[in-house]
Amino acid sequence: MLILTEQELRDHVQLNLEAISIIEEGFVKLSNGDVTMPPIMRVDLHDQNGEVDVKTAYVKGKEMFAIKVSSGFFNNYKLGLPSGNGLMMLISTQTGIPQALLLDNGYLTHIRTAAAGAIAAKYLSRDNIETVGVIGAGDQARYQVHALKLVRNFKNVLVYSRSLDRAAQYAKEMSVELGLEVQAVNNAETVVRQSDVVITTTPANDPVIKADWLYPGLHITAMGSDAEHKQEIEAEVLARADRLVCDTKAQCARLGELHHALASGVLKDDSAVIEIGQLTSQQIIGREDDNQITVCDLTGTGVQDTAIALFAYNQLVNQNKGLKVDNKTFA
């Protein structure tokens, strides 16, 4: 077995166009029926404002597949700790024997999630944008904007967080990292009305974005709702979208923003919903004109985890990295 550390993974796997391409290929495989992906298993720790998810997917033809355990403990910022953590295991598709442990502490999840956000914007946002709005000021709020910068040019960023101090810190740090003007604002409505692309990155249980704030040409990527009790955008937002896209309809209907739109009756069914793999495989066109309102509901998929884990494994093996452990015992 090969054990790979977070530092090794950070040194050799970055959020770049290659990583985005790897995740895009994973969505194509999913759309083409080349992926076996079971439902997410989740443990909620409501009294600790935390959760642990188990995600996995087998991609036909691959020598290994990933099982990922990821946690989100959303009070961790009070302790000076990141909210996300976790690890990945790669298992042989021929023998079922574990081949590698990727001790990434959530880093690879950040990469693959941000890559999916970039893919959503690539197919759904207008080509020419100036202002990006971010709701939330945690790790993923940072990764998402860095990923978006790889597929779109923009001049300004607006950020809103329930913690004004965290929003101000985000604005200060991201201004330096991006080389752009990043401004903290004191309400979500300002973010939506003044942005061309809006990214929601919160564990909110009540909608942060209202349908009345929408306008022609807006794109929203909502990636925070990945449990039945979470909701970042009003259900009516999905009904007003000219293009409504999910990473997978089945999963979003159970866990995502789509879940609330269907449960409330705002959407009668998911017949008009597009899966992101249908865009990446060129089966369906994303944005058709600059006036469309587009929404992408991302809940995070096991195929993304297998894709990024295999990519990371191959990168580090080629660099002769990792600790090899002989854990085999045979009679």
Side-chain angles (χ1 to χ4, degrees), residues 129-146:
I129 62 173
E130 290 194 359
T131 302
V132 173
V134 185
I135 297 178
D139 290 334
Q140 194 55 215
R142 299 164 189 264
Y143 280 97
Q144 285 286 337
V145 176
H146 278 294

Side-chain angles (χ1 to χ4, degrees), residues 262-282:
L262 293 171
S264 66
V266 169
L267 290 180
K268 293 183 179 179
D269 56 48
D270 64 3
S271 59
V273 180
I274 300 166
E275 291 192 338
I276 198 166
Q278 294 176 284
L279 304 182
T280 60
S281 61
Q282 309 297 319

